Structure formats: C-alpha cells, structure tokens
Amino acid sequence: VADMPKPHYDIRVTSSHLDTDDLKIFADLAKAKRTGTSPDLTVKATIHALEGKLQSVPYHNLSADLSWRQETLYVDSLRFNALDGNVSGRGRVVLKESAEPQYQFDLDVDKISAGQAMAMAGLDPELMTGELNMKGSLAGSGTRLADLKRTASGTVNLRADKGTLRKFQVLSKVFSILNVSQLFKFQLPDMVSGGMPYSQITGRFTLKDGILASDDLYVKSDAMNITIIGKVDLVRGELEETIGVQPLQTVDKVVSHIPVVGWILTNETNSLVSMYFTAKGKWDNPDVQAVPVKDMAEGVLNIFRRLFQLPVKLITDTGDVILGR
C-alpha cells in the first residue's frame, strides 16, 4: 500500500473451483464505497479457475482480468468454456450510489449449444438445436431480468449451424396455410414433433428498449429457405414480422389452380420460388396471413430479392410472373 488514503489492491487467484458468489469481494467493495466507509481505492484482479458456475451456468477453464475504480467494475478480459463451446469478451459494470447497475459488454460466443442457450434464457431447449455463434455488443441496466429486457440495447451478429427448429408458432401456421393447397410433392415439417432441420441460420439483430429487430434473418435448409424481416418485443412477448418462404421442390399441379392467387411466384421451370406472409400478435399465438406480392412495400421486396437471390424480373415485372394474371 503505497498511499494509505488511496490504497490499491492487486489480487491474483488460482482455483480448482470458483463460483460467482466467491467473487463477492467486489460487491462488498462497491457497497462500502457507496456508504462512505471505504477510502478511494482501486483493485486489480487476475483470476484463473478450472471449473465453477457463473450465476447458474457451469464453466471450465476460466481466465479473467478485472479492475475496480471510480465506482465501476471493469472486465478487461474474460474467457471460458461453457455450453459445449467457448465464450470471450470484455465490458464494465457501473455501480453508482442511488442508481441501478449499468452493464455494457462486448461478447464473442463460439459454437455453443443452441438448446442449452435456450434453457439458460428461460426458454424451451427444444425450440432450437445446433451450434450457435454470436458476436456483438450489448448494454442494459437494472437488477432484475425484467429491467434488463426493458433497457437492453446493442447489436448482435448470429450464425447457427446444423440443427432443428421446433415449436415455433409462426412457422407452424405458415406451414398450415401451405398445406391447404395440397400442391407439394414433399412433406412439410411438423414443428411440434420432428421439427424442421436446417443447415444454417444467419442474421444481424439490433436491440433497443427491449425491441429485437432484424431485416436479414435467413434460414437455409434442404426443404426450403426462409427469410424473416421484423421485430419482437421482448417485454410484451409480441412480434410483427414479414416472412418469405422459398421451397426448393416443384409444384405437382397446374399453378393456376392454386386457390390463393397472387402470393406465389414461379420461375421458368415451374419451380416454386417464393411466398410471403405477415405475422402479428403474441409470439405464442400470432395471427399469420398470406400476402399478395402487389401489397408489399418495394423496400421489403428488395430485401427478399437480395436474400433469396431472385431475378429482378420476379419482383418488378409482376404481370408476367404472379399466378392468375
């Protein structure tokens, strides 16, 4: 201690097992600082642990550099193995007197289990399986999960590989509409039992005031490709989306017999190119409707054209390609 009025602590910890509660020293220091019982201190800590839990998440091989100064806990570096993958990042937690804690983190998540990530978020682990990769920056404030959802903001790039989607009500209702026409040579996925296998999911998400939005969420599978544009209110549990579906098989009846006219496009070989739907309401029971192409905004159509790699003719020259015209 070189300066007693402003002490500095340098802590090095190596442990075979270390849980979040074992790091209570930082919370105690912050509490002491806010109540005025501690001098103006700074802390630096280097931590290595073979295993343990971060809140409720088991981890292995944790390495972290932490520091405390001016009412802020800085996570200068963090790396550990969890959920069958790797997590790394950096960030800070601001703990000011008479204010909610404020969090800001840059995270890089590599090949974790999507199902385990769903369970950690309090969702059904069967919603999504596969390897999940995420990279982005997130911020929020509060002591409760509801507060963090309401104040959350940031951007995240996501990629998932080789898994299955199940129990998504939006896709279940989209497939129900497709089944009405009985035009397909293939069996549509059952979103309740077997689910829909996918090869890759990609997308960039923005988060602001608890609203999660994306204009390029793309699901690639052997049966079909799906693009979703829209937003989800994480606080209210509501969504508002436009969905494009591109089956990769062919129609086995004359296309003019399709009962819903104007929302299916075909190419020169009579292969089904794309169909469009809107979904609004509660995410566990949304209202899903088929949408005629002519009723869609040009900007939205251009996004679908880019993601589905459709010829411009299928978007602009609708008189030649929309069925029933």
Side-chain angles (χ1 to χ4, degrees):
V1 181
D3 186 353
M4 289 298 291
K6 296 182 179 181
H8 170 76
Y9 296 89
D10 194 335
I11 303 171
R12 298 175 186 272
V13 177
T14 300
S15 176
S16 60
H17 187 98
L18 192 67
D19 293 341
T20 306
D21 291 343
D22 298 327
L23 300 177
K24 190 172 179 290
I25 180 175
F26 288 104
D28 292 340
L29 289 171
K31 181 178 180 181
K33 174 62 180 175
R34 291 197 298 270
T35 56
T37 60
S38 172
D40 187 11
L41 58 84
T42 61
V43 179
K44 179 180 179 181
T46 300
I47 299 173
H48 299 282
L50 293 180
E51 64 177 14
K53 287 186 178 180
L54 292 175
Q55 299 298 338
S56 60
V57 181
Y59 73 82
H60 298 278
N61 302 320
L62 179 142
S63 176
D65 292 313
L66 310 176
S67 59
W68 167 263
R69 60 186 183 274
Q70 297 181 346
E71 299 181 307
T72 301
L73 173 63
Y74 293 90
V75 182
D76 300 311
S77 68
L78 176 65
R79 185 180 299 274
F80 58 91
N81 307 126
L83 308 179
D84 296 334
N86 306 306
V87 180
S88 61
R90 58 184 300 170
R92 65 178 182 270
V93 182
V94 180
L95 299 166
K96 291 186 177 181
E97 186 176 359
S98 302
E100 294 286 348
Q102 299 176 13
Y103 305 88
Q104 191 280 318
F105 280 90
D106 298 324
L107 293 174
D108 191 346
V109 178
D110 182 45
K111 296 182 179 179
I112 67 170
S113 164
Q116 293 184 46
M118 294 292 109
M120 186 186 69
L123 301 173
D124 189 337
E126 292 188 356
L127 281 174
M128 180 179 180
T129 64
E131 285 187 349
L132 187 61
N133 302 270
M134 294 186 294
K135 189 172 185 178
S137 179
L138 296 172
S141 62
T143 56
R144 302 178 304 165
L145 180 60
D147 296 328
L148 291 173
K149 286 183 178 181
R150 178 177 50 82
T151 61
S153 63
T155 60
V156 174
N157 290 298
L158 174 146
R159 193 189 81 243
D161 297 301
K162 297 180 180 179
T164 301
L165 299 176
R166 290 188 182 92
K167 301 181 180 180
F168 280 90
Q169 285 299 313
V170 170
L171 294 182
S172 292
K173 293 193 174 186
V174 166
F175 296 158
S176 294
I177 294 174
L178 292 177
N179 268 327
V180 170
S181 61
Q182 298 294 318
L183 289 173
F184 304 104
K185 290 181 176 179
F186 62 102
Q187 182 69 36
L188 290 171
D190 185 340
M191 294 303 295
V192 176
S193 58
M196 188 186 82
Y198 68 86
S199 57
Q200 189 173 82
I201 299 174
T202 59
R204 182 179 185 273
F205 295 86
T206 59
L207 188 59
K208 184 177 181 181
D209 299 329
I211 305 295
L212 184 67
S214 177
D215 63 2
D216 64 355
L217 180 59
Y218 187 65
V219 182
K220 183 178 180 180
S221 73
D222 292 338
M224 65 184 68
N225 296 331
I226 299 172
T227 291
I228 300 176
I229 300 170
K231 59 186 179 181
V232 176
D233 190 323
L234 300 178
V235 178
R236 300 186 180 209
E238 297 176 347
L239 56 82
E240 183 176 347
E241 298 172 337
T242 302
I243 303 126
V245 180
Q246 184 186 45
L248 303 179
Q249 280 77 11
T250 60
V251 177
D252 64 359
K253 291 186 179 180
V254 179
V255 293
S256 61
H257 291 172
I258 294 177
V260 182
V261 176
W263 54 276
I264 299 182
L265 302 179
T266 60
N267 62 15
E268 293 81 357
T269 63
N270 217 28
S271 296
L272 209 56
V273 174
S274 57
M275 297 158 290
Y276 302 97
F277 306 83
T278 58
K280 295 181 181 180
K282 293 292 184 179
W283 61 34
D284 57 353
N285 188 27
D287 177 52
V288 178
Q289 302 288 335
V291 182
V293 175
K294 61 183 178 61
D295 290 348
M296 296 176 63
E298 182 178 355
V300 173
L301 280 175
N302 285 336
I303 293 174
F304 283 120
R305 180 178 65 81
R306 172 174 56 84
L307 295 173
F308 283 149
Q309 299 181 12
L310 296 175
V312 176
K313 178 181 177 64
L314 292 179
I315 298 297
T316 60
D317 195 359
T318 58
D320 288 343
V321 297
I322 292 182
L323 305 184
R325 293 288 296 272

